[in-house]
Amino acid sequence: LISQNRNTFEIQVTQVDDMGVGATTHYDFTDAITPGFEASHFAFNTDSSQLVMAPRRNNRNIWLMNFDAATGMLEMDTTLTGSGFDDDQLESVYDVEWSGDGSKLYLSRFGSSGTTGQLYQIDFNDSTRAVNPILPASIFRSFGLKRAPDDRIYHLYQETNGAPFNLGRIYRHDSVVDSVMYQAIVFP
């Protein structure tokens, strides 16, 4: 079980197995270069054993960590530069989700009074790991992301202030950003 202390920003890894709840190890990856933040969401890539932690606070980049399931050890890999936004709302990066092949990370930018919501892709096959927008048009707010059993990523969003919530769908999420297809309204 991987969790976070919201006050100290420490990450805790607790062993849970058929014997019950075991020991908890605490990790503090914060320093002067890597400030701490409260996580909005975690996403685990089973292929690479990498965990991303999305920041709730503005101006904080997503953390990429390596997890060894056999030992329970967690180590900081890097911060994903360019994934922190100067938004003035409670959520900056609302949610994160891995592509099916684990080579792409999708992040949902909530939006603020001065910016619109957006959906981005980071391609781990690209050495620059650029943060690329994928939505065809701006939206008011961007919320949750979830890869479903049909192997598509679903996206909850709101087109305008006061509008109903809509569900979008990402096709070909394992592709480079220019080949990703987005269907804006799944259930009209």
Side-chain angles (χ1 to χ4, degrees), residues 15-44:
Q15 179 182 350
V16 179
D17 57 24
D18 56 357
M19 300 298 289
V21 178
T24 298
T25 305
H26 301 264
Y27 296 92
D28 184 359
F29 297 124
T30 62
D31 57 31
I33 298 169
T34 309
F37 59 80
E38 179 183 353
S40 65
H41 287 88
F42 290 96
F44 185 67

Side-chain angles (χ1 to χ4, degrees), residues 91-112:
E91 303 283 346
S92 179
V93 176
Y94 194 89
D95 203 357
V96 287
E97 183 64 87
W98 290 98
S99 64
D101 72 357
S103 68
K104 315 289 186 290
L105 180 69
Y106 289 85
L107 57 132
S108 172
R109 180 181 185 179
F110 181 69
S112 68

Side-chain angles (χ1 to χ4, degrees), residues 130-152:
V131 179
N132 297 301
I134 68 161
L135 291 181
S138 61
I139 58 173
F140 176 66
R141 294 288 182 261
S142 181
F143 300 104
L145 296 169
K146 192 65 175 172
R147 192 160 40 95
D150 67 359
D151 200 37
R152 292 182 177 98

Side-chain angles (χ1 to χ4, degrees), residues 31-130:
D31 57 31
I33 298 169
T34 309
F37 59 80
E38 179 183 353
S40 65
H41 287 88
F42 290 96
F44 185 67
N45 182 332
T46 55
D47 294 327
S48 67
S49 295
Q50 291 186 305
L51 177 74
V52 290
M53 186 171 88
R56 183 170 184 198
R57 184 175 174 189
N58 64 342
N59 295 318
R60 299 290 187 265
N61 288 307
I62 293 172
W63 288 2
L64 177 66
M65 298 167 280
N66 300 310
F67 178 66
D68 184 333
T71 65
M73 297 295 295
L74 186 67
E75 68 176 359
M76 173 63 88
D77 186 310
T78 190
T79 57
L80 299 175
T81 305
S83 62
F85 304 105
D86 188 20
D87 294 343
D88 61 5
Q89 297 296 316
L90 293 177
E91 303 283 346
S92 179
V93 176
Y94 194 89
D95 203 357
V96 287
E97 183 64 87
W98 290 98
S99 64
D101 72 357
S103 68
K104 315 289 186 290
L105 180 69
Y106 289 85
L107 57 132
S108 172
R109 180 181 185 179
F110 181 69
S112 68
S113 59
T115 60
T116 57
Q118 182 56 268
L119 192 56
Y120 295 92
Q121 180 201 72
I122 300 174
D123 185 345
F124 284 80
N125 292 325
D126 177 359
S127 62
T128 65
R129 291 188 179 166

